[in-house]
Amino acid sequence: MGNTSTLAAADVKAHRARLFLASCVALIATAMTFAVRGDTIGALKRTFDLTDPQVAWIMSGAFWGFTLSIFIGGQLCDLIGMGRIMFLAFAAHAIGTFVIMFADGFTMLAVGTLAIGIANGFVEAAINPLVATVYADKKTHMLNLLHAWFPGGIVIGSLVCVALAKFSVLGLVPWPWKFASVLLPTIVYGVLFLG
């Protein structure tokens, strides 16, 4: 009996740690989208000959998509489960990133940015109650640790953009690769949330 309960406790601890790590990586992906979008908007404006109002529409989609999905996602957490909300976030991050990478103009850029905004909102809608639930005994501490990764993700995204800009000067790395960098943490958190 003692060994079984010890193994069960170890499994619970490992499962909680995996969910927390997945939540942190999802928040890194969310924060990276802010850094990458801010870094590339000038290149997008030049590449697609966008007007200032078009740039404003593209940029604003990330924020009203976020607001919409965090409101809807928060309401759906109990109804469909946090796992499904995170699957929607993963799908929207991946789809939005690919749409932007292969955009041919304003409409695709606006749709891709909106999809990423929706993904970011779903991440926030799911990971906050998730961490508070699995760490009910120390939720304030764990939520503070979790949210330290938002500025961390902005720093990571900014450093990736700076590093890739060095190659862009040589004409080797166009702006879509900066967006592609968001796919790495997206894939990682998708894999960590499986099961």
Side-chain angles (χ1 to χ4, degrees):
M1 277 294 194
N3 286 343
T4 305
S5 62
T6 304
L7 286 175
D11 286 345
V12 168
K13 188 174 181 180
H15 190 65
R16 286 184 354 161
R18 180 179 172 145
L19 289 173
F20 182 74
L21 177 61
S23 298
C24 291
V25 176
L27 198 56
I28 289 170
T30 295
M32 283 180 69
T33 66
F34 286 88
V36 171
R37 190 171 48 251
D39 181 76
T40 58
I41 195 63
L44 296 175
K45 185 176 180 181
R46 288 187 302 275
T47 301
F48 298 105
D49 195 28
L50 301 171
T51 64
D52 288 340
Q54 286 176 317
V55 169
W57 274 106
I58 291 167
M59 296 296 278
S60 68
F63 297 101
W64 61 268
F66 177 87
T67 305
L68 178 69
S69 64
I70 200 169
F71 176 74
I72 292 170
Q75 306 304 313
L76 291 176
C77 268
D78 286 335
L79 186 63
I80 68 171
M82 293 175 215
R84 287 189 180 94
I85 297 286
M86 286 310 299
F87 173 77
L88 292 172
F90 171 81
H93 265 142
I95 290 167
T97 300
F98 280 114
V99 168
I100 291 173
M101 287 173 60
F102 297 104
D104 60 6
F106 167 75
T107 302
M108 287 182 75
L109 291 170
V111 168
T113 303
L114 175 62
I116 288 174
I118 289 169
N120 293 345
F122 280 147
V123 165
E124 285 287 352
I127 65 173
N128 288 307
L130 174 66
V131 170
T133 300
V134 297
Y135 288 102
D137 54 330
K138 50 182 178 176
K139 61 183 162 190
T140 302
H141 174 69
M142 297 308 286
L143 284 168
N144 285 335
L145 287 178
L146 170 70
H147 284 93
W149 284 106
F150 188 82
I154 290 177
V155 170
I156 292 167
S158 299
L159 291 174
V160 167
C161 287
V162 168
L164 290 176
K166 300 291 185 188
F167 293 106
S168 293
V169 171
L170 302 173
L172 299 174
V173 181
W175 60 264
W177 288 103
K178 292 181 180 180
F179 279 99
S181 69
V182 175
L183 292 173
L184 181 60
T186 300
I187 291 166
V188 171
Y189 86 72
V191 169
L192 286 171
F193 273 119
L194 279 176

